[in-house]
mmCIF file with all atom_site columns, all heavy atoms in Angstrom:
data_model
loop_
_atom_site.group_PDB
_atom_site.id
_atom_site.type_symbol
_atom_site.label_atom_id
_atom_site.label_alt_id
_atom_site.label_comp_id
_atom_site.label_asym_id
_atom_site.label_entity_id
_atom_site.label_seq_id
_atom_site.pdbx_PDB_ins_code
_atom_site.Cartn_x
_atom_site.Cartn_y
_atom_site.Cartn_z
_atom_site.occupancy
_atom_site.B_iso_or_equiv
_atom_site.pdbx_formal_charge
_atom_site.auth_seq_id
_atom_site.auth_comp_id
_atom_site.auth_asym_id
_atom_site.auth_atom_id
_atom_site.pdbx_PDB_model_num
ATOM 1   N N   . GLU A 1 124 ? 119.776 205.793 -42.887 1.00 0.00 ? 162 GLU A N   1
ATOM 2   C CA  . GLU A 1 124 ? 119.522 206.380 -41.564 1.00 0.00 ? 162 GLU A CA  1
ATOM 3   C C   . GLU A 1 124 ? 119.718 207.961 -41.485 1.00 0.00 ? 162 GLU A C   1
ATOM 4   O O   . GLU A 1 124 ? 120.820 208.330 -41.769 1.00 0.00 ? 162 GLU A O   1
ATOM 5   C CB  . GLU A 1 124 ? 120.215 205.689 -40.432 1.00 0.00 ? 162 GLU A CB  1
ATOM 6   C CG  . GLU A 1 124 ? 119.712 204.336 -40.164 1.00 0.00 ? 162 GLU A CG  1
ATOM 7   C CD  . GLU A 1 124 ? 120.399 203.730 -38.879 1.00 0.00 ? 162 GLU A CD  1
ATOM 8   O OE1 . GLU A 1 124 ? 121.127 204.387 -38.231 1.00 0.00 ? 162 GLU A OE1 1
ATOM 9   O OE2 . GLU A 1 124 ? 120.208 202.477 -38.749 1.00 0.00 ? 162 GLU A OE2 1
ATOM 10  N N   . SER A 1 126 ? 119.241 211.752 -39.143 1.00 0.00 ? 164 SER A N   1
ATOM 11  C CA  . SER A 1 126 ? 119.272 212.109 -37.647 1.00 0.00 ? 164 SER A CA  1
ATOM 12  C C   . SER A 1 126 ? 117.789 212.242 -37.096 1.00 0.00 ? 164 SER A C   1
ATOM 13  O O   . SER A 1 126 ? 117.629 212.212 -35.953 1.00 0.00 ? 164 SER A O   1
ATOM 14  C CB  . SER A 1 126 ? 120.152 213.332 -37.387 1.00 0.00 ? 164 SER A CB  1
ATOM 15  O OG  . SER A 1 126 ? 119.676 214.354 -38.161 1.00 0.00 ? 164 SER A OG  1
ATOM 16  N N   . PHE A 1 170 ? 102.357 205.193 -29.207 1.00 0.00 ? 208 PHE A N   1
ATOM 17  C CA  . PHE A 1 170 ? 102.054 206.493 -28.695 1.00 0.00 ? 208 PHE A CA  1
ATOM 18  C C   . PHE A 1 170 ? 103.296 206.977 -27.812 1.00 0.00 ? 208 PHE A C   1
ATOM 19  O O   . PHE A 1 170 ? 104.087 206.258 -27.433 1.00 0.00 ? 208 PHE A O   1
ATOM 20  C CB  . PHE A 1 170 ? 100.842 206.555 -27.833 1.00 0.00 ? 208 PHE A CB  1
ATOM 21  C CG  . PHE A 1 170 ? 100.979 205.682 -26.639 1.00 0.00 ? 208 PHE A CG  1
ATOM 22  C CD1 . PHE A 1 170 ? 101.401 206.098 -25.448 1.00 0.00 ? 208 PHE A CD1 1
ATOM 23  C CD2 . PHE A 1 170 ? 100.535 204.385 -26.668 1.00 0.00 ? 208 PHE A CD2 1
ATOM 24  C CE1 . PHE A 1 170 ? 101.533 205.353 -24.356 1.00 0.00 ? 208 PHE A CE1 1
ATOM 25  C CE2 . PHE A 1 170 ? 100.523 203.601 -25.504 1.00 0.00 ? 208 PHE A CE2 1
ATOM 26  C CZ  . PHE A 1 170 ? 101.152 204.028 -24.414 1.00 0.00 ? 208 PHE A CZ  1
ATOM 27  N N   . LEU A 1 201 ? 118.321 197.686 2.729   1.00 0.00 ? 239 LEU A N   1
ATOM 28  C CA  . LEU A 1 201 ? 116.963 197.549 3.287   1.00 0.00 ? 239 LEU A CA  1
ATOM 29  C C   . LEU A 1 201 ? 116.256 196.658 2.500   1.00 0.00 ? 239 LEU A C   1
ATOM 30  O O   . LEU A 1 201 ? 115.513 197.115 1.561   1.00 0.00 ? 239 LEU A O   1
ATOM 31  C CB  . LEU A 1 201 ? 116.449 198.861 3.405   1.00 0.00 ? 239 LEU A CB  1
ATOM 32  C CG  . LEU A 1 201 ? 114.989 198.920 4.091   1.00 0.00 ? 239 LEU A CG  1
ATOM 33  C CD1 . LEU A 1 201 ? 115.014 198.415 5.525   1.00 0.00 ? 239 LEU A CD1 1
ATOM 34  C CD2 . LEU A 1 201 ? 114.430 200.266 3.958   1.00 0.00 ? 239 LEU A CD2 1
ATOM 35  N N   . LEU A 1 205 ? 111.267 198.502 -1.219  1.00 0.00 ? 243 LEU A N   1
ATOM 36  C CA  . LEU A 1 205 ? 110.309 199.001 -2.312  1.00 0.00 ? 243 LEU A CA  1
ATOM 37  C C   . LEU A 1 205 ? 108.899 198.570 -1.884  1.00 0.00 ? 243 LEU A C   1
ATOM 38  O O   . LEU A 1 205 ? 108.039 199.359 -1.996  1.00 0.00 ? 243 LEU A O   1
ATOM 39  C CB  . LEU A 1 205 ? 110.743 198.326 -3.619  1.00 0.00 ? 243 LEU A CB  1
ATOM 40  C CG  . LEU A 1 205 ? 109.806 198.722 -4.779  1.00 0.00 ? 243 LEU A CG  1
ATOM 41  C CD1 . LEU A 1 205 ? 109.662 200.213 -5.000  1.00 0.00 ? 243 LEU A CD1 1
ATOM 42  C CD2 . LEU A 1 205 ? 110.210 198.007 -6.094  1.00 0.00 ? 243 LEU A CD2 1
ATOM 43  N N   . ILE A 1 222 ? 106.125 202.149 -13.224 1.00 0.00 ? 260 ILE A N   1
ATOM 44  C CA  . ILE A 1 222 ? 107.182 202.034 -12.290 1.00 0.00 ? 260 ILE A CA  1
ATOM 45  C C   . ILE A 1 222 ? 108.423 201.790 -13.104 1.00 0.00 ? 260 ILE A C   1
ATOM 46  O O   . ILE A 1 222 ? 108.431 200.951 -13.928 1.00 0.00 ? 260 ILE A O   1
ATOM 47  C CB  . ILE A 1 222 ? 106.918 201.014 -11.215 1.00 0.00 ? 260 ILE A CB  1
ATOM 48  C CG1 . ILE A 1 222 ? 108.069 200.907 -10.162 1.00 0.00 ? 260 ILE A CG1 1
ATOM 49  C CG2 . ILE A 1 222 ? 106.744 199.614 -11.777 1.00 0.00 ? 260 ILE A CG2 1
ATOM 50  C CD1 . ILE A 1 222 ? 107.665 200.271 -8.928  1.00 0.00 ? 260 ILE A CD1 1
ATOM 51  N N   . SER A 1 224 ? 113.038 201.484 -12.540 1.00 0.00 ? 262 SER A N   1
ATOM 52  C CA  . SER A 1 224 ? 114.198 201.725 -11.765 1.00 0.00 ? 262 SER A CA  1
ATOM 53  C C   . SER A 1 224 ? 115.265 202.237 -12.730 1.00 0.00 ? 262 SER A C   1
ATOM 54  O O   . SER A 1 224 ? 115.274 201.672 -13.890 1.00 0.00 ? 262 SER A O   1
ATOM 55  C CB  . SER A 1 224 ? 114.697 200.489 -11.008 1.00 0.00 ? 262 SER A CB  1
ATOM 56  O OG  . SER A 1 224 ? 114.994 199.513 -11.866 1.00 0.00 ? 262 SER A OG  1
ATOM 57  N N   . LEU A 1 231 ? 127.416 203.408 -9.617  1.00 0.00 ? 269 LEU A N   1
ATOM 58  C CA  . LEU A 1 231 ? 126.998 202.136 -10.132 1.00 0.00 ? 269 LEU A CA  1
ATOM 59  C C   . LEU A 1 231 ? 125.947 201.371 -9.304  1.00 0.00 ? 269 LEU A C   1
ATOM 60  O O   . LEU A 1 231 ? 125.039 200.798 -9.941  1.00 0.00 ? 269 LEU A O   1
ATOM 61  C CB  . LEU A 1 231 ? 128.305 201.260 -10.281 1.00 0.00 ? 269 LEU A CB  1
ATOM 62  C CG  . LEU A 1 231 ? 128.122 199.876 -11.158 1.00 0.00 ? 269 LEU A CG  1
ATOM 63  C CD1 . LEU A 1 231 ? 127.746 200.320 -12.643 1.00 0.00 ? 269 LEU A CD1 1
ATOM 64  C CD2 . LEU A 1 231 ? 129.446 199.135 -11.131 1.00 0.00 ? 269 LEU A CD2 1
ATOM 65  N N   . TYR A 1 234 ? 120.209 203.087 -7.228  1.00 0.00 ? 272 TYR A N   1
ATOM 66  C CA  . TYR A 1 234 ? 119.213 203.163 -8.216  1.00 0.00 ? 272 TYR A CA  1
ATOM 67  C C   . TYR A 1 234 ? 118.160 204.183 -7.786  1.00 0.00 ? 272 TYR A C   1
ATOM 68  O O   . TYR A 1 234 ? 117.835 204.328 -6.554  1.00 0.00 ? 272 TYR A O   1
ATOM 69  C CB  . TYR A 1 234 ? 118.404 201.815 -8.432  1.00 0.00 ? 272 TYR A CB  1
ATOM 70  C CG  . TYR A 1 234 ? 119.065 200.860 -9.284  1.00 0.00 ? 272 TYR A CG  1
ATOM 71  C CD1 . TYR A 1 234 ? 120.271 200.247 -8.986  1.00 0.00 ? 272 TYR A CD1 1
ATOM 72  C CD2 . TYR A 1 234 ? 118.679 200.690 -10.567 1.00 0.00 ? 272 TYR A CD2 1
ATOM 73  C CE1 . TYR A 1 234 ? 120.949 199.425 -9.885  1.00 0.00 ? 272 TYR A CE1 1
ATOM 74  C CE2 . TYR A 1 234 ? 119.344 199.795 -11.433 1.00 0.00 ? 272 TYR A CE2 1
ATOM 75  C CZ  . TYR A 1 234 ? 120.494 199.217 -11.089 1.00 0.00 ? 272 TYR A CZ  1
ATOM 76  O OH  . TYR A 1 234 ? 121.054 198.410 -11.975 1.00 0.00 ? 272 TYR A OH  1
ATOM 77  N N   . LEU A 1 278 ? 97.733  200.219 -14.625 1.00 0.00 ? 316 LEU A N   1
ATOM 78  C CA  . LEU A 1 278 ? 98.834  199.206 -14.535 1.00 0.00 ? 316 LEU A CA  1
ATOM 79  C C   . LEU A 1 278 ? 98.379  198.177 -13.498 1.00 0.00 ? 316 LEU A C   1
ATOM 80  O O   . LEU A 1 278 ? 99.048  197.117 -13.535 1.00 0.00 ? 316 LEU A O   1
ATOM 81  C CB  . LEU A 1 278 ? 99.952  200.108 -14.026 1.00 0.00 ? 316 LEU A CB  1
ATOM 82  C CG  . LEU A 1 278 ? 101.314 199.496 -14.024 1.00 0.00 ? 316 LEU A CG  1
ATOM 83  C CD1 . LEU A 1 278 ? 101.783 199.145 -15.412 1.00 0.00 ? 316 LEU A CD1 1
ATOM 84  C CD2 . LEU A 1 278 ? 102.349 200.416 -13.326 1.00 0.00 ? 316 LEU A CD2 1
ATOM 85  N N   . GLY A 1 279 ? 97.512  198.396 -12.596 1.00 0.00 ? 317 GLY A N   1
ATOM 86  C CA  . GLY A 1 279 ? 97.073  197.375 -11.531 1.00 0.00 ? 317 GLY A CA  1
ATOM 87  C C   . GLY A 1 279 ? 97.936  197.534 -10.301 1.00 0.00 ? 317 GLY A C   1
ATOM 88  O O   . GLY A 1 279 ? 97.689  196.664 -9.469  1.00 0.00 ? 317 GLY A O   1
ATOM 89  N N   . ASN A 1 280 ? 98.794  198.417 -10.176 1.00 0.00 ? 318 ASN A N   1
ATOM 90  C CA  . ASN A 1 280 ? 99.584  198.735 -9.001  1.00 0.00 ? 318 ASN A CA  1
ATOM 91  C C   . ASN A 1 280 ? 100.581 197.646 -8.726  1.00 0.00 ? 318 ASN A C   1
ATOM 92  O O   . ASN A 1 280 ? 100.830 197.349 -7.582  1.00 0.00 ? 318 ASN A O   1
ATOM 93  C CB  . ASN A 1 280 ? 98.695  198.909 -7.814  1.00 0.00 ? 318 ASN A CB  1
ATOM 94  C CG  . ASN A 1 280 ? 99.415  199.589 -6.664  1.00 0.00 ? 318 ASN A CG  1
ATOM 95  O OD1 . ASN A 1 280 ? 100.262 200.435 -7.038  1.00 0.00 ? 318 ASN A OD1 1
ATOM 96  N ND2 . ASN A 1 280 ? 98.987  199.431 -5.521  1.00 0.00 ? 318 ASN A ND2 1
ATOM 97  N N   . GLU B 1 124 ? 125.957 213.495 -37.154 1.00 0.00 ? 343 GLU B N   1
ATOM 98  C CA  . GLU B 1 124 ? 125.333 212.279 -36.585 1.00 0.00 ? 343 GLU B CA  1
ATOM 99  C C   . GLU B 1 124 ? 125.583 211.160 -37.635 1.00 0.00 ? 343 GLU B C   1
ATOM 100 O O   . GLU B 1 124 ? 125.206 211.223 -38.754 1.00 0.00 ? 343 GLU B O   1
ATOM 101 C CB  . GLU B 1 124 ? 123.996 212.437 -36.292 1.00 0.00 ? 343 GLU B CB  1
ATOM 102 C CG  . GLU B 1 124 ? 123.776 213.153 -34.971 1.00 0.00 ? 343 GLU B CG  1
ATOM 103 C CD  . GLU B 1 124 ? 122.231 213.296 -34.572 1.00 0.00 ? 343 GLU B CD  1
ATOM 104 O OE1 . GLU B 1 124 ? 121.462 212.534 -35.051 1.00 0.00 ? 343 GLU B OE1 1
ATOM 105 O OE2 . GLU B 1 124 ? 121.909 213.995 -33.649 1.00 0.00 ? 343 GLU B OE2 1
ATOM 106 N N   . SER B 1 126 ? 125.150 206.706 -38.164 1.00 0.00 ? 345 SER B N   1
ATOM 107 C CA  . SER B 1 126 ? 124.163 205.627 -37.694 1.00 0.00 ? 345 SER B CA  1
ATOM 108 C C   . SER B 1 126 ? 124.914 204.717 -36.571 1.00 0.00 ? 345 SER B C   1
ATOM 109 O O   . SER B 1 126 ? 124.162 204.147 -35.741 1.00 0.00 ? 345 SER B O   1
ATOM 110 C CB  . SER B 1 126 ? 123.901 204.698 -38.845 1.00 0.00 ? 345 SER B CB  1
ATOM 111 O OG  . SER B 1 126 ? 125.013 204.083 -39.446 1.00 0.00 ? 345 SER B OG  1
ATOM 112 N N   . PHE B 1 170 ? 128.003 202.226 -18.240 1.00 0.00 ? 389 PHE B N   1
ATOM 113 C CA  . PHE B 1 170 ? 128.078 200.734 -18.574 1.00 0.00 ? 389 PHE B CA  1
ATOM 114 C C   . PHE B 1 170 ? 126.785 200.276 -19.232 1.00 0.00 ? 389 PHE B C   1
ATOM 115 O O   . PHE B 1 170 ? 125.797 200.818 -19.141 1.00 0.00 ? 389 PHE B O   1
ATOM 116 C CB  . PHE B 1 170 ? 128.328 199.951 -17.237 1.00 0.00 ? 389 PHE B CB  1
ATOM 117 C CG  . PHE B 1 170 ? 127.110 200.008 -16.280 1.00 0.00 ? 389 PHE B CG  1
ATOM 118 C CD1 . PHE B 1 170 ? 126.214 199.126 -16.355 1.00 0.00 ? 389 PHE B CD1 1
ATOM 119 C CD2 . PHE B 1 170 ? 127.122 201.003 -15.316 1.00 0.00 ? 389 PHE B CD2 1
ATOM 120 C CE1 . PHE B 1 170 ? 125.091 199.190 -15.575 1.00 0.00 ? 389 PHE B CE1 1
ATOM 121 C CE2 . PHE B 1 170 ? 125.983 201.091 -14.461 1.00 0.00 ? 389 PHE B CE2 1
ATOM 122 C CZ  . PHE B 1 170 ? 125.051 200.141 -14.508 1.00 0.00 ? 389 PHE B CZ  1
ATOM 123 N N   . ASP B 1 200 ? 92.348  195.710 -12.905 1.00 0.00 ? 419 ASP B N   1
ATOM 124 C CA  . ASP B 1 200 ? 91.520  196.038 -11.858 1.00 0.00 ? 419 ASP B CA  1
ATOM 125 C C   . ASP B 1 200 ? 91.696  195.289 -10.603 1.00 0.00 ? 419 ASP B C   1
ATOM 126 O O   . ASP B 1 200 ? 90.762  194.993 -9.852  1.00 0.00 ? 419 ASP B O   1
ATOM 127 C CB  . ASP B 1 200 ? 89.991  195.703 -12.303 1.00 0.00 ? 419 ASP B CB  1
ATOM 128 C CG  . ASP B 1 200 ? 89.632  196.481 -13.565 1.00 0.00 ? 419 ASP B CG  1
ATOM 129 O OD1 . ASP B 1 200 ? 90.073  197.701 -13.510 1.00 0.00 ? 419 ASP B OD1 1
ATOM 130 O OD2 . ASP B 1 200 ? 89.124  195.864 -14.466 1.00 0.00 ? 419 ASP B OD2 1
ATOM 131 N N   . LEU B 1 201 ? 93.024  195.057 -10.335 1.00 0.00 ? 420 LEU B N   1
ATOM 132 C CA  . LEU B 1 201 ? 93.347  194.469 -9.008  1.00 0.00 ? 420 LEU B CA  1
ATOM 133 C C   . LEU B 1 201 ? 94.296  195.513 -8.302  1.00 0.00 ? 420 LEU B C   1
ATOM 134 O O   . LEU B 1 201 ? 95.502  195.335 -8.461  1.00 0.00 ? 420 LEU B O   1
ATOM 135 C CB  . LEU B 1 201 ? 94.063  193.114 -9.216  1.00 0.00 ? 420 LEU B CB  1
ATOM 136 C CG  . LEU B 1 201 ? 94.502  192.511 -7.977  1.00 0.00 ? 420 LEU B CG  1
ATOM 137 C CD1 . LEU B 1 201 ? 93.418  192.019 -7.096  1.00 0.00 ? 420 LEU B CD1 1
ATOM 138 C CD2 . LEU B 1 201 ? 95.379  191.201 -8.283  1.00 0.00 ? 420 LEU B CD2 1
ATOM 139 N N   . LEU B 1 205 ? 100.693 194.582 -7.708  1.00 0.00 ? 424 LEU B N   1
ATOM 140 C CA  . LEU B 1 205 ? 102.185 194.543 -7.741  1.00 0.00 ? 424 LEU B CA  1
ATOM 141 C C   . LEU B 1 205 ? 102.787 194.351 -6.318  1.00 0.00 ? 424 LEU B C   1
ATOM 142 O O   . LEU B 1 205 ? 103.744 193.608 -6.178  1.00 0.00 ? 424 LEU B O   1
ATOM 143 C CB  . LEU B 1 205 ? 102.682 196.008 -8.291  1.00 0.00 ? 424 LEU B CB  1
ATOM 144 C CG  . LEU B 1 205 ? 104.208 196.028 -8.412  1.00 0.00 ? 424 LEU B CG  1
ATOM 145 C CD1 . LEU B 1 205 ? 104.812 194.913 -9.213  1.00 0.00 ? 424 LEU B CD1 1
ATOM 146 C CD2 . LEU B 1 205 ? 104.605 197.429 -8.881  1.00 0.00 ? 424 LEU B CD2 1
ATOM 147 N N   . ILE B 1 222 ? 113.482 196.883 -11.633 1.00 0.00 ? 441 ILE B N   1
ATOM 148 C CA  . ILE B 1 222 ? 112.089 196.772 -11.865 1.00 0.00 ? 441 ILE B CA  1
ATOM 149 C C   . ILE B 1 222 ? 111.647 197.785 -12.995 1.00 0.00 ? 441 ILE B C   1
ATOM 150 O O   . ILE B 1 222 ? 112.096 198.929 -13.051 1.00 0.00 ? 441 ILE B O   1
ATOM 151 C CB  . ILE B 1 222 ? 111.233 196.872 -10.718 1.00 0.00 ? 441 ILE B CB  1
ATOM 152 C CG1 . ILE B 1 222 ? 109.774 196.806 -10.888 1.00 0.00 ? 441 ILE B CG1 1
ATOM 153 C CG2 . ILE B 1 222 ? 111.401 198.378 -10.019 1.00 0.00 ? 441 ILE B CG2 1
ATOM 154 C CD1 . ILE B 1 222 ? 108.887 196.601 -9.681  1.00 0.00 ? 441 ILE B CD1 1
ATOM 155 N N   . SER B 1 224 ? 108.175 198.703 -15.774 1.00 0.00 ? 443 SER B N   1
ATOM 156 C CA  . SER B 1 224 ? 106.913 198.500 -16.447 1.00 0.00 ? 443 SER B CA  1
ATOM 157 C C   . SER B 1 224 ? 107.137 199.016 -17.818 1.00 0.00 ? 443 SER B C   1
ATOM 158 O O   . SER B 1 224 ? 107.667 200.020 -18.098 1.00 0.00 ? 443 SER B O   1
ATOM 159 C CB  . SER B 1 224 ? 105.779 199.189 -15.780 1.00 0.00 ? 443 SER B CB  1
ATOM 160 O OG  . SER B 1 224 ? 105.996 200.576 -15.744 1.00 0.00 ? 443 SER B OG  1
ATOM 161 N N   . LEU B 1 231 ? 96.928  199.360 -25.415 1.00 0.00 ? 450 LEU B N   1
ATOM 162 C CA  . LEU B 1 231 ? 97.291  200.613 -24.812 1.00 0.00 ? 450 LEU B CA  1
ATOM 163 C C   . LEU B 1 231 ? 97.260  200.610 -23.258 1.00 0.00 ? 450 LEU B C   1
ATOM 164 O O   . LEU B 1 231 ? 98.173  201.257 -22.650 1.00 0.00 ? 450 LEU B O   1
ATOM 165 C CB  . LEU B 1 231 ? 96.313  201.750 -25.304 1.00 0.00 ? 450 LEU B CB  1
ATOM 166 C CG  . LEU B 1 231 ? 96.724  203.211 -24.898 1.00 0.00 ? 450 LEU B CG  1
ATOM 167 C CD1 . LEU B 1 231 ? 98.063  203.671 -25.547 1.00 0.00 ? 450 LEU B CD1 1
ATOM 168 C CD2 . LEU B 1 231 ? 95.683  204.138 -25.398 1.00 0.00 ? 450 LEU B CD2 1
ATOM 169 N N   . TYR B 1 234 ? 100.160 196.616 -19.297 1.00 0.00 ? 453 TYR B N   1
ATOM 170 C CA  . TYR B 1 234 ? 101.488 196.756 -18.953 1.00 0.00 ? 453 TYR B CA  1
ATOM 171 C C   . TYR B 1 234 ? 102.127 195.433 -18.569 1.00 0.00 ? 453 TYR B C   1
ATOM 172 O O   . TYR B 1 234 ? 101.525 194.608 -18.018 1.00 0.00 ? 453 TYR B O   1
ATOM 173 C CB  . TYR B 1 234 ? 101.754 197.771 -17.759 1.00 0.00 ? 453 TYR B CB  1
ATOM 174 C CG  . TYR B 1 234 ? 101.671 199.124 -18.285 1.00 0.00 ? 453 TYR B CG  1
ATOM 175 C CD1 . TYR B 1 234 ? 100.474 199.761 -18.556 1.00 0.00 ? 453 TYR B CD1 1
ATOM 176 C CD2 . TYR B 1 234 ? 102.911 199.774 -18.305 1.00 0.00 ? 453 TYR B CD2 1
ATOM 177 C CE1 . TYR B 1 234 ? 100.426 201.149 -18.993 1.00 0.00 ? 453 TYR B CE1 1
ATOM 178 C CE2 . TYR B 1 234 ? 102.805 201.230 -18.766 1.00 0.00 ? 453 TYR B CE2 1
ATOM 179 C CZ  . TYR B 1 234 ? 101.676 201.793 -19.020 1.00 0.00 ? 453 TYR B CZ  1
ATOM 180 O OH  . TYR B 1 234 ? 101.693 203.164 -19.428 1.00 0.00 ? 453 TYR B OH  1
ATOM 181 N N   . LEU B 1 278 ? 119.577 196.977 -5.358  1.00 0.00 ? 497 LEU B N   1
ATOM 182 C CA  . LEU B 1 278 ? 118.461 198.049 -5.601  1.00 0.00 ? 497 LEU B CA  1
ATOM 183 C C   . LEU B 1 278 ? 117.783 198.200 -4.259  1.00 0.00 ? 497 LEU B C   1
ATOM 184 O O   . LEU B 1 278 ? 117.054 199.174 -4.171  1.00 0.00 ? 497 LEU B O   1
ATOM 185 C CB  . LEU B 1 278 ? 117.531 197.348 -6.617  1.00 0.00 ? 497 LEU B CB  1
ATOM 186 C CG  . LEU B 1 278 ? 116.434 198.325 -7.222  1.00 0.00 ? 497 LEU B CG  1
ATOM 187 C CD1 . LEU B 1 278 ? 117.062 199.422 -8.070  1.00 0.00 ? 497 LEU B CD1 1
ATOM 188 C CD2 . LEU B 1 278 ? 115.545 197.465 -8.140  1.00 0.00 ? 497 LEU B CD2 1
ATOM 189 N N   . GLY B 1 279 ? 117.890 197.454 -3.368  1.00 0.00 ? 498 GLY B N   1
ATOM 190 C CA  . GLY B 1 279 ? 117.043 197.521 -2.074  1.00 0.00 ? 498 GLY B CA  1
ATOM 191 C C   . GLY B 1 279 ? 115.684 197.020 -2.091  1.00 0.00 ? 498 GLY B C   1
ATOM 192 O O   . GLY B 1 279 ? 115.032 197.139 -1.095  1.00 0.00 ? 498 GLY B O   1
ATOM 193 N N   . ASN B 1 280 ? 115.322 196.240 -3.112  1.00 0.00 ? 499 ASN B N   1
ATOM 194 C CA  . ASN B 1 280 ? 114.025 195.528 -3.243  1.00 0.00 ? 499 ASN B CA  1
ATOM 195 C C   . ASN B 1 280 ? 112.946 196.556 -3.205  1.00 0.00 ? 499 ASN B C   1
ATOM 196 O O   . ASN B 1 280 ? 111.787 196.271 -2.813  1.00 0.00 ? 499 ASN B O   1
ATOM 197 C CB  . ASN B 1 280 ? 113.920 194.600 -2.117  1.00 0.00 ? 499 ASN B CB  1
ATOM 198 C CG  . ASN B 1 280 ? 112.845 193.567 -2.507  1.00 0.00 ? 499 ASN B CG  1
ATOM 199 O OD1 . ASN B 1 280 ? 112.725 193.291 -3.681  1.00 0.00 ? 499 ASN B OD1 1
ATOM 200 N ND2 . ASN B 1 280 ? 112.114 192.999 -1.533  1.00 0.00 ? 499 ASN B ND2 1
#
Side-chain angles (χ1 to χ4, degrees):
Chain A
E162 284 187 11
S164 60
F208 62 91
L239 177 65
L243 180 60
I260 182 166
S262 61
L269 188 62
Y272 279 73
L316 192 66
N318 200 30
Chain B
E343 283 187 12
S345 61
F389 63 89
D419 301 313
L420 177 65
L424 180 59
I441 182 166
S443 61
L450 187 63
Y453 278 74
L497 191 65
N499 201 28

